[in-house]
Amino acid sequence: AEGGSSGGGGGGSEKNAVLPSASVSASTSATDEGAATSATSSRRQSDAKDGAAPAPERYYRIHVDQYDTIESITVMDGEDVDTSNLMSLHGLPQQYCNSMVARFKEGLIPDFKRFFRSTWAMAIFHDRFNDFRSEVGEALQAEGGDDFYFVEAKLRGWVESGLQLSLEDTKVLQSDFNKSSGRGIVVRKLFDFLKYNAYHLQMYQDPEQVVRNW
């Protein structure tokens, strides 16, 4: 199954190989619009321990574009595939996925299938998660102060200019946002989402307890 398009629109080329299980790779390829990251995890049948049933073959490739957004997901799996969940990741910023790229580069994600079946991911696969994202956007536009609009305008200018954000640029934007009224709005809406959907998201800490300890 593949979600989204795999092409960026540039002159870069990529080669992907099915790797032995327990090994992972990440590559950065230049395109006309910037840099994109491809993360690949795979497992072969030969990885089974002595006396154990052979592990099923599987291959997962996730392409993140120059805007840090999940652009495509390619899966070859001999077992069941969480198709609906994986398709819902298309278009999401990769940081929604528990800082996926950073964790992958640190060697903390040997198997994407297990990674996306972990309890942390239950919220982003919830059927009201897209509604939550929309509510956050509406609240930021309605309630955000001048400090938030300054950050938004700066980010929008970078995107419209086609310039790629450096790591330092990203850190400055994140710092500015954390100091703005926008952060409090996002935190409040997140707590509301977890509270209203607590029956299905019992693996997360009670938001009211978090507020008392914050």
Side-chain angles (χ1 to χ4, degrees):
E2 183 166 346
S5 61
S6 59
S13 61
E14 299 171 353
K15 295 182 180 179
N16 299 286
V18 178
L19 309 172
S21 166
S23 69
V24 292
S25 73
S27 63
T28 300
S29 59
T31 69
D32 290 344
E33 292 142 355
T37 300
S38 297
T40 306
S41 75
S42 59
R43 187 171 73 181
R44 291 279 187 93
Q45 287 184 343
S46 58
D47 295 320
K49 296 181 180 179
D50 293 342
E57 293 187 27
R58 63 173 173 254
Y59 169 89
Y60 281 65
R61 179 182 181 275
I62 301 175
H63 184 78
V64 177
D65 67 17
Q66 66 270 27
Y67 301 116
D68 222 22
T69 298
I70 296 175
E71 185 178 72
S72 68
I73 302 174
T74 306
V75 176
M76 291 182 286
D77 196 332
E79 294 184 315
D80 57 312
V81 177
D82 302 323
T83 306
S84 179
N85 284 351
L86 292 176
M87 289 181 68
S88 71
L89 298 176
H90 178 246
L92 284 183
Q94 64 83 18
Q95 288 191 332
Y96 278 42
C97 300
N98 213 1
S99 299
M100 178 186 68
V101 169
R103 289 175 180 272
F104 181 83
K105 289 182 176 179
E106 292 172 11
L108 301 177
I109 310 178
D111 188 333
F112 277 116
K113 185 171 189 174
R114 291 182 179 177
F115 178 67
F116 286 117
R117 286 186 170 183
S118 300
T119 55
W120 69 263
M122 295 302 101
I124 64 173
F125 294 141
H126 191 278
D127 58 9
R128 290 203 69 249
F129 185 71
N130 282 336
D131 292 338
F132 157 69
R133 294 180 65 203
S134 297
E135 290 171 5
V136 169
E138 291 169 2
L140 287 172
Q141 293 301 316
E143 305 172 32
D146 291 340
D147 50 2
F148 164 72
Y149 293 124
F150 172 77
V151 177
E152 183 188 38
K154 184 188 294 186
L155 178 58
R156 189 180 300 277
W158 258 315
V159 172
E160 291 178 350
S161 69
L163 296 176
Q164 183 186 352
L165 289 176
S166 67
L167 179 59
E168 188 59 35
D169 292 332
T170 302
K171 288 181 178 179
V172 170
L173 276 175
Q174 185 67 59
S175 176
D176 289 345
F177 177 78
N178 287 339
K179 297 173 185 175
S180 76
S181 56
R183 184 179 187 277
I185 294 171
V186 172
V187 170
R188 189 187 80 237
K189 300 301 290 186
L190 174 61
F191 285 175
D192 287 345
F193 172 73
L194 294 176
K195 180 180 178 180
Y196 296 150
N197 299 286
Y199 180 79
H200 299 287
L201 301 174
Q202 298 179 21
M203 66 289 297
Y204 296 94
Q205 187 174 358
D206 180 358
E208 293 183 357
Q209 183 65 38
V210 174
V211 171
R212 286 196 290 270
N213 295 334
W214 199 25

